[in-house]
Structure formats: structure tokens, C-alpha cells
Amino acid sequence: MQMKKHYLNEKRRSNIFVFLMLLIPVVHFIIFWFGVNFNSLRLAFTSIDLTSGTTSFSLDHFKTLGNLFKTGEIRMALVNTLLTWALNMFLVPWALFLSYFLYKKIPLGGMWKTLLFLPSILPAIAMTSIFRYMIEPDGPVGQLIHALTGEDISNLLAFNTTAKWTVLAYIFWTNFGGQFILFSGAMAKIPKGMLEAANLDGAGLGSEFFKVVLPLCWPTTSMILILNISTLFTASGPLLLLTKGMGETRTLSYWIFEHVQGSTTLGLPAALGIACTLVLFPIVMIAKWLLNKVYADVEF
Amino acid sequence: MEKGIMNRFLRGCGNILLGIVSFLIPVIGIVRIAKRPRMGIGAKIITSIVFMIFWVYAVSLIYAMGWAFMNSLKGNLEFFEDMMSPPKRWLFSNYIKAFSLIEFDGVNFIAMFINSIWFALGSAILSTLSHAVTGYIFAKYNFFGKRVFFNFVIFTIALPVVGTLPSLYQIVNSLGLNDSPLFLITALGGFGSNFLITYAFFKSMDRTYMEAARIDGASHSSIFWRIMLPQAAPMLFSIGLLSFIGQWNNYETPLLMLSKMPTLATGLYQFSDKMIFAVGDASQTVYFAGILLASLPVVLLVIAFHEKIMENVSTGGIKG
């Protein structure tokens, strides 16, 4: 009896503790996950009658989006988003490649690691400001191009023909090492004996990379690829700081940001978000399924 | 005249030094690669090419930082006359001026710095603690609905939701959290991607400590705060540090939600916009000093803790 009472008291104490500890995170989750997503749906499927102020269920925002796609505004943003995303996807194997050489103890590896990490910790406002001035006609890049070709460059971020590619160049410059830390972490776990055995069997750099390192790092690689695929419609450079969307550089996420900042019609960007989520969800699931099939999970 | 000769002399010395360093580093690197035993000629060539790629990238970054620092020490006129030459007079006073001249809507650099501190530090601490709490409870306690809730949380983390910004903006405004330190409430969520890290960490911790402490009469909260949390401190510190850096550099959220309380990231952005039309003292070179000052805290943090960050960040996040 005494034991049972003690057990019940203990159980009650434990439940009270769990309740109190989870209270704030759960309330937060209800407001900022359920609430936010429910409100997104409400904004996307509601239209307001400006004369009477009444709201009603409507697909008007989706129709407007369709029209904006036809006129080119959304289509251009989509193309820019996909270009940025493609560059980000390219940077994943690129970072894996660089990480492999860091793992192989390339000379000055510590310095390269620090420098690869630097752009990801420096404020974007600092990096973009430096970049903007450096590519001015009188800046170092302008002077370098002048010295090499004899041509003066114009303001690369101001014109439709060059702005988009300049933004992509900035993304490449600042994400050069990309996810190298995650790859380095994965490679550090590879048992040295495995590589030594491969080398004794006569494996060169290429065989070692493709037949030993890549399969063993595949869980990390596929995770990073899936994370990148899930940014298919949100990929963007720091457009606010570089171009403010001028020079035909707008991406979908910047388009949403602009509409929120303008606070004119929140329903329209919310509808775009819903449409993108509906398209993206199956893509991510299929990609996850496919990537899991490439290499079997390896325990080591 | 003498100043001109001195300046040319310094520039010449700088160029020679730069030339030696630029030439020496790749040569030393390639020689070291060439001397490596048990490496085929093809592998040596590829490694040398990759070494050169690293070197070119490093030069581009170091040059950019050095160029910004050099121009932060010039006068405005001098900067526009020649962006490439070293300063005629090294105006370290630009760094002092940055504190008074950089301002937006009556908020000066120091106020922006304070806003950055409370926003970044507050968000990092609250978010890390919340994730520690949720990870611990889900890893160590059984309660009604745990499995369902856990699976749902994992589902929400994996769900690629796009464009919730308009909705979040409206909710934050309607709750009156915008333009107020109360905005930090939004950082209290414990079910973000860091939940996976804290959950995995506490799950791998032995229950023996908890059970021994319970037998000794320790309460559940004492066990959490005095026994479990200190053991998780290195892992939580890494999460917190990365979160702090992320929020320090965040400019989009504060621009929308804290428009009247600009942080350094948003304040400098707005100042740079205003600067285009400004005359007089609000110069580009003082702005350069400002952006370098704004970068200093995160650079110092990374210098101090880079080993920890590099060690702790591994596959799937951060390990303890």
C-alpha cells in the first residue's frame, strides 16, 4: 500500500514536471506553427470586400498569381529562384570535393578551413557592401577587368543583362565551401584502417573517393541534398542588400518579402507560399526516396 | 611632396611583400605536395590544382577584407578619387566617428549595437534552453501522447513549408510583439531542427545519474538543472553560439518585425540607403568602419571558439 502510494506520488510529480516544462514550448508551437500555418491558409483563401470590409472564401489570390505568372512577374522570379537553387545544388558536390582534399591533409588545411567558414559567419550587410564597392568600375574587380581586357565595366548590379549573374557570382563567392563542415565531420568518422586497406589494394585518389569516402559519407550527402531540395522555391541571394530586386533579379522568396514589407496584400504572398508547398512536398518525398536508394546505409 | 614619396614607397613595399607572399605560398604548397610519398603523379597534379583553387579563393577573401579595412581609414573624397591606393593619412578616427555619425531615425550606432546584443543573445539563450527542455523531456520521460506528438514534430521539421512570412508578420503584429523586446517570445519554440540534436544527446545519456539522484531525494527540476543540463553544456553552448551568430547577422526579420528598433544589420542597411543621398560627414569610409565594427563580435567569437565549433558540428548537427 505504502509502495503504491509512493509510486502514485512519484508519477504525479513526474507528470506535473513534464507538464510545466512543456507548457511554454507547446503553447509556442500551437501559436507559431499551427496558428501561423492556419493563418497562412486563411490569408490565401480569403478575399476582402474593400467597400463593406467583409471577408469571404475565395480563390482570387490564386487567380491573381496565375495572371502574374502569365505577365512574367512570377515566372521571372521562378526562373531566378531555380537558377539560384541550381547553383546551391552544384555547391554541394563541390563542397564534398573540397572537403575530401581537406580530409587528405592538403597543405595549410587549417587556414583554408577558417577561410571557407569566414563568409558564413560575417554579416551579410558587410559582405554585400564590400562586394558592391569591389565590383564598381573604379573598384578592384573593375580595375582588374580593365587591365586584362582594356574594357571598362559598367555597374554590374544595375543592368538586367548582368545583375542576375552578378548576384549568382556573389552567392558562389560566399558559399564557396558551402557545407564543408558537415562533410568534414562525416569524413573524420571514417576509420583510418578502411582507407589504408583501400590504398594497399592499389586504390588511387579517384577510387578512394568514389568507392570508399562517398559511400561512407552518403548519409550526410543525401541529408544535405534533401535539405537543399527543400529550398527549391526559397533559394535566394541577399537581394535586399544587393539589388532590391532591380535588374530582373527578383526571386520568389524576395517577392514574398517585398509584399510583406509593403504590407499591401498579405493574401497574395500567402497564396504563393501555399502553392509552392503543395508542389514541393511530393518532390521532396520522391527525392528522399530516390536518394536513399543510391547507397545502402553503412554502419562503421 | 615628401608625403607623396613616402606613400609611393609604402605602396611599393606593400606590392613587393604581397608579391613574395603570393608567390611563396603556392610554391611551398606545391613543393610539399610533390614530396608526398605513396602518391601517384596524377594525384599530385590534382591535389596541386585544388591547392591553387584554395589559394585563389583565400586571396579573394583576404584581399576583400584588407581592401575594406584600408578604405575605412580614408577620407571620403580620397576614397572616390582612388579606391585602390593606401590612405594618405590613416584616419583611425573614422572608427570613432562611426559611433556618432552612423544613425537611422535617431538610433545611433551604440543603440543599434545594444539592440543587436539583446536580440541575438536573447534569441540564442531562449531558443537553446527551450530546445534543451523539449529534448530532455522527450528523451527521458514517458507521458500520455508522447509517441504521437514526437512523430508529429518530426513531420513538421521535415515538412518543407514555404512562405509563412506574411502570416507570421500578421500574428506578431496582432499580438503586439513587434518593435518590442517581447519579440523574443518567438524564440521560445523548442521544436525546431535543434530538437533532433538535443533529443539525440539526452537519449544517449545514461539514466543512472537521474535514478541515483532520485534515490538521494533530488527533485525532477534539480536533476534537470543541476545534473543533466551541466553535462549538456558543451553541446548547448555550440547550438547557442551558432544561433547567436545567425541572429546577429539576421537582417530580414528585424527589418520587418523590429523596424523601430534597428539592430546593427538593419541599421547599417538603412544607413547605407540614406547615405547615397547624404552630404557632408556621412561618408562611405565611415560606413566601411561601421560594417567592420559590426563584424568584429562574431569574428572574435569564432576566433575564440572556432575549434569548438569545428569539432562539435558534425553529421546531422552538433555532438556533445
Side-chain angles (χ1 to χ4, degrees), chain A residues 10 21 28 33 36 39 42 104-105 115 119 121 123 129 133 136 173 176 182 220 238 240 244 263 273 277, chain B residues 36 57-58 60-61 83 133 162 167 169-170 185-186 189 214 220 224 249 251 255 269 273 284 287 314-315:
Chain A
E10 173 58 28
M21 291 294 265
H28 184 281
W33 198 88
V36 164
N39 193 40
R42 192 187 63 80
K104 295 294 287 180
K105 306 270 182 242
L115 286 168
I121 57 121
S129 299
Y133 283 106
E136 278 201 356
W173 186 53
F176 188 78
L182 292 174
T220 305
L240 181 72
K244 293 188 172 56
S263 292
T277 305
Chain B
R36 282 190 174 180
Y57 183 65
S60 79
L61 268 183
M83 290 186 185
V133 166
V162 180
S167 170
Y169 179 71
Q170 198 180 48
I185 287 173
T186 60
R214 282 303 288 161
H220 290 280
F224 176 65
N249 297 341
Y251 60 91
L255 195 65
Y269 159 71
D273 253 17
Q284 253 79 4
Y287 174 68
S314 66
T315 315

Side-chain angles (χ1 to χ4, degrees), chain B residues 137-155:
Chain B
I137 295 293
F138 273 83
K140 294 292 179 208
Y141 285 85
N142 285 318
F143 52 91
F144 177 74
K146 175 181 159 179
R147 185 57 33 202
V148 174
F149 194 26
F150 180 81
N151 287 335
F152 185 71
V153 167
I154 301 297
F155 171 74

Side-chain angles (χ1 to χ4, degrees), chain B residues 124-189:
Chain B
I125 291 173
L126 292 178
S127 168
T128 308
L129 264 181
S130 296
H131 283 98
V133 166
T134 53
Y136 174 68
I137 295 293
F138 273 83
K140 294 292 179 208
Y141 285 85
N142 285 318
F143 52 91
F144 177 74
K146 175 181 159 179
R147 185 57 33 202
V148 174
F149 194 26
F150 180 81
N151 287 335
F152 185 71
V153 167
I154 301 297
F155 171 74
T156 62
I157 291 170
L159 189 70
V161 179
V162 180
T164 52
L165 189 64
S167 170
L168 178 68
Y169 179 71
Q170 198 180 48
I171 286 182
V172 165
N173 279 351
S174 59
L175 292 174
L177 303 178
N178 57 321
D179 292 321
S180 151
L182 284 174
F183 180 72
L184 288 179
I185 287 173
T186 60
L188 275 169

Side-chain angles (χ1 to χ4, degrees), chain B residues 46-284:
Chain B
I46 292 172
T47 310
S48 299
I49 292 169
V50 173
F51 180 85
M52 290 304 292
I53 291 172
F54 275 124
W55 178 76
V56 169
Y57 183 65
V59 167
S60 79
L61 268 183
I62 293 169
Y63 183 86
M65 295 303 137
W67 181 82
F69 177 68
M70 184 182 82
N71 283 306
S72 73
L73 300 171
K74 286 181 184 173
N76 212 26
L77 194 63
E78 191 189 347
F79 171 70
F80 283 111
E81 275 175 2
D82 188 356
M83 290 186 185
M84 304 298 290
S85 66
K88 287 173 187 158
R89 280 176 55 227
W90 298 66
L91 298 174
F92 285 99
S93 55
N94 282 349
Y95 283 82
I96 308 291
K97 276 186 186 173
F99 285 94
S100 55
L101 291 182
I102 292 178
E103 65 88 32
F104 180 75
D105 264 359
V107 181
N108 66 16
F109 192 86
I110 295 170
M112 289 175 196
F113 184 82
I114 292 167
N115 286 341
S116 281
I117 288 281
W118 72 251
F119 173 65
L121 196 64
S123 300
I125 291 173
L126 292 178
S127 168
T128 308
L129 264 181
S130 296
H131 283 98
V133 166
T134 53
Y136 174 68
I137 295 293
F138 273 83
K140 294 292 179 208
Y141 285 85
N142 285 318
F143 52 91
F144 177 74
K146 175 181 159 179
R147 185 57 33 202
V148 174
F149 194 26
F150 180 81
N151 287 335
F152 185 71
V153 167
I154 301 297
F155 171 74
T156 62
I157 291 170
L159 189 70
V161 179
V162 180
T164 52
L165 189 64
S167 170
L168 178 68
Y169 179 71
Q170 198 180 48
I171 286 182
V172 165
N173 279 351
S174 59
L175 292 174
L177 303 178
N178 57 321
D179 292 321
S180 151
L182 284 174
F183 180 72
L184 288 179
I185 287 173
T186 60
L188 275 169
F191 297 108
S193 54
N194 284 336
F195 169 72
L196 300 176
I197 299 165
T198 53
Y199 173 79
F201 180 85
F202 286 114
K203 193 81 183 161
S204 68
M205 271 175 84
D206 203 335
R207 290 189 74 91
T208 326
Y209 295 109
M210 279 178 80
E211 281 156 10
R214 282 303 288 161
I215 291 165
D216 288 347
S219 67
H220 290 280
S221 85
S222 299
I223 293 171
F224 176 65
W225 292 106
R226 293 188 182 170
I227 298 170
M228 304 306 258
L229 213 53
Q231 292 189 69
M235 177 266 299
L236 295 176
F237 181 75
S238 295
I239 292 181
L241 191 61
L242 291 175
S243 171
F244 176 84
I245 293 170
Q247 294 300 354
W248 184 271
N249 297 341
N250 185 354
Y251 60 91
E252 286 194 341
T253 313
L255 195 65
L256 289 174
M257 321 280 184
L258 299 169
S259 55
K260 288 175 189 157
M261 306 179 87
T263 60
L264 277 174
T266 55
L268 281 164
Y269 159 71
Q270 284 159 323
F271 174 77
S272 78
D273 253 17
K274 190 182 75 172
M275 188 175 64
I276 297 167
F277 307 103
V279 285
D281 277 339
S283 72
Q284 253 79 4

Side-chain angles (χ1 to χ4, degrees), chain A residues 281-295:
Chain A
F281 185 66
I283 293 175
V284 172
M285 290 300 128
I286 292 167
K288 196 164 184 264
W289 178 74
L290 284 174
L291 287 168
N292 284 340
K293 283 195 163 300
V294 177
Y295 289 109

